[in-house]
Amino acid sequence: MSFLGRPRNPMEPKTHPWRVVGIILLGLALMVLGPLASRIRDQRLDAQRTFVRSNLKLIQIALQEYFVQYKSLPFSPEGPDHALYKLKPYIDAECFDGDPKKPPEARAFWDDREKCLKNSDFLYLNEPGVKPDFARFLLRSRPGMTGEWVYLAAGFGITGHEAKGADSRLLGSCQTRDLFLIANFQLYQDWLRTHPDWITQSGNYVGMTPGGGSISLDYRYEGKRLRKCFITTDKGVIGETVELDDLGRIAKLSRKPDHWESLLGD
């Protein structure tokens, strides 16, 4: 038996100390650079979201000026880019860019020959007779631009949601002050009958009705999806059941008891 250990097989690869050190240094670099790259990416997206919101604010002002003159928001049967061309007297085309680092040839511009807006980074509702006095989604950023879709809702300002599953069907949707998405304006008006803007906010809430009575709202969820709401007034309880579509919007609303309107008071 040898006290020097097993003799090294000359066919075995030799492990050099610098290789071990290199592997350790590479691991440390990945540990440092991974979070750093993620942080840089998040900062870039935050800067881009800020840029998008800033431009949407300018677009909102232009839409308001257009409405003051024409009593409705721009519409064209030729398409949304032709409708937005009507804002040319009120705003620069560059305000429709969503990325401050876009190359010059990709930036938004007014096409005076075709009378439309080209290279816009926003999708527009483009429906006739729309007025900026309720929470419909009028404009939204194109998918994949900022990691979320950022939108302009007349009446409720500018905000954003996760881009996952979002598509152009969200245009025309409404959003409540509780941040619930509602599929269309008619359903939104029906929602306001038991959730008026002056009383609603997220979670359980107790407030006073204009007639002096009290009202409380109790939302019930399954996971993160709203399923029911119980509205308690001085005269009784109204139970609401909602159905959500694949975009997470309230698409159907039913109430019990049948005489629920009498429980709301005068």
Side-chain angles (χ1 to χ4, degrees), residues 92-237:
D92 293 331
E94 289 82 0
C95 293
F96 291 90
D97 286 326
D99 186 350
K101 296 184 179 180
K102 286 175 67 173
E105 66 273 10
R107 292 175 184 166
F109 68 96
W110 303 117
D111 188 326
D112 294 320
R113 184 176 63 85
E114 296 187 20
K115 296 190 181 303
C116 69
L117 174 66
K118 293 288 184 70
N119 296 342
S120 172
D121 283 327
F122 299 98
L123 307 176
Y124 178 60
L125 177 59
N126 192 38
E127 287 187 358
V130 173
K131 299 180 180 181
D133 57 0
F134 48 80
R136 297 185 75 185
F137 295 4
L138 302 176
L139 274 165
R140 58 159 298 221
S141 58
R142 293 189 182 278
M145 192 163 59
T146 64
E148 67 179 10
W149 53 276
V150 184
Y151 71 86
L152 167 63
F156 283 0
I158 299 159
T159 187
H161 284 277
E162 289 186 27
K164 182 179 179 181
D167 61 30
S168 60
R169 287 178 294 165
L170 286 163
L171 287 172
S173 299
C174 298
Q175 180 170 327
T176 73
R177 292 189 184 276
D178 290 334
L179 305 183
F180 299 129
L181 300 183
I182 297 185
N184 57 69
F185 183 52
Q186 183 177 355
L187 186 57
Y188 172 73
Q189 289 179 309
D190 189 22
W191 172 269
L192 290 184
R193 296 172 69 185
T194 47
H195 301 75
D197 285 340
W198 52 265
I199 200 74
T200 58
Q201 68 181 44
S202 296
N204 296 342
Y205 184 65
V206 178
M208 302 301 293
T209 66
S214 65
I215 181 171
S216 68
L217 305 172
D218 182 12
Y219 297 120
R220 304 290 177 85
Y221 299 85
E222 289 182 8
K224 295 183 179 180
R225 294 171 69 88
L226 177 68
R227 291 301 184 191
K228 293 182 180 293
C229 179
F230 295 95
I231 300 104
T232 303
T233 72
D234 294 338
K235 296 185 176 182
V237 179

Side-chain angles (χ1 to χ4, degrees), residues 24-48:
I24 293 173
L25 291 177
L26 178 61
L28 291 174
L30 292 175
M31 290 176 62
V32 173
L33 294 178
L36 179 61
S38 178
R39 192 176 304 116
I40 292 173
R41 182 176 63 253
D42 291 343
Q43 290 176 346
R44 182 183 63 81
L45 291 177
D46 286 343
Q48 194 164 335

